[in-house]
Amino acid sequence: AITKEQDALMKLIVEAYNKHQIPQDVTKKLLQEQYSTEENFLLLTEIATSQVQVLVEFTKNIPGFLSLDHEDQIALLKGSAVEAMFLRSAQVFSRKMPKGHTEVLEERIRKSGISEEFITPLFNFYKSVGELHMVQEEQALLTAITILTPDRPYVKDQQAVERLQEPMVELLKKLCVLQHPQEPQYFARLLGRLTELRTLNHYHAEMLTSWRVN
Amino acid sequence: PASNLGLEDIIRKALMGNLEE
């Protein structure tokens, strides 16, 4: 069972996850009709920027994060921003969206000058995350675990990061057993998504370059 | 690339935010 401390940790992470969301006025624009490729491009850039700001606000609430070395904080955030962004946006596609919203979002991403080579793996990821039907606690913890990945580039004190990540992984494992008793492989499937996320990192870097060329 | 620089600036600015609060 989940200990008192673990429960407190979970509540704190979920509360921070819910508190820091992309502002309504930004997401509302996503649903407005007929945008040109250029406007889609600018809109996606605006949302990506907002997601990074939301990511930092969320991360500040992760116990121990602000006591890490300042440059390591930057390295962790920089190294995980893209993954955290896709993990979060995946939930938009898997949550019960009002009729037609998902299609509009998908159309917007497809019509923003991003090459097909990147869009296919991105939507495969969204689909595989959607099939997991993650509960909110799992989404918040998985995001925190993604950010606290010790082997990001330029992280100096990896052990300090590991000490923060480890209890989160333990807690997520217990949560998966409690939430998905009939699926013993569920935790492993969640971690599998993190591996898939890392490949998106690579595609994202290439996508940015091709986007700029277009 | 410029976008990465942008990313780091956004992160540094948002992190510093807690000094103003």
Side-chain angles (χ1 to χ4, degrees), chain A residues 35-54:
Chain A
Y35 275 134
S36 68
T37 304
E38 290 70 31
E39 281 152 336
N40 278 341
F41 165 79
L42 291 172
L43 184 55
L44 288 176
T45 307
E46 184 185 349
I47 287 178
T49 305
S50 174
Q51 281 210 349
V52 172
Q53 289 160 339
V54 162

Side-chain angles (χ1 to χ4, degrees), chain A residues 2 6 15-16 27 32 40 44 53 56 64 91 102 107 110 117 121 130 136 145 174 176 179 183 197 214:
Chain A
I2 289 187
Q6 286 179 318
E15 201 199 314
T27 45
Q32 271 147 11
N40 278 341
L44 288 176
Q53 289 160 339
V56 174
Q91 278 119 43
T102 312
E107 193 44 37
R110 288 192 188 282
E117 194 199 329
Q136 215 181 22
I145 288 166
K174 275 192 186 176
C176 288
Q179 295 282 351
E183 283 179 274
L197 257 178
N214 291 350

Side-chain angles (χ1 to χ4, degrees), chain A residues 61-84:
Chain A
N61 292 277
I62 297 177
F65 181 83
L66 289 179
S67 49
L68 290 171
D69 168 270
H70 186 65
E71 286 312 306
D72 278 359
Q73 290 177 29
I74 308 280
L76 287 174
L77 284 162
K78 215 177 146 189
S80 64
V82 169
E83 290 174 27

Side-chain angles (χ1 to χ4, degrees), chain A residues 49 52-53 56-57 60 65-66 70-71 73-74 77-78 81 208 212, chain B residues 1-5 7-8 10-18 21:
Chain A
T49 305
V52 172
Q53 289 160 339
V56 174
E57 293 310 317
K60 288 181 193 175
F65 181 83
L66 289 179
H70 186 65
E71 286 312 306
Q73 290 177 29
I74 308 280
L77 284 162
K78 215 177 146 189
L208 279 183
R212 221 171 287 108
Chain B
S3 62
N4 279 351
L5 189 65
L7 176 63
E8 191 163 321
I10 298 168
I11 290 171
R12 283 187 188 279
K13 225 159 124 282
L15 260 179
M16 299 302 284
N18 55 18
E21 259 146 28

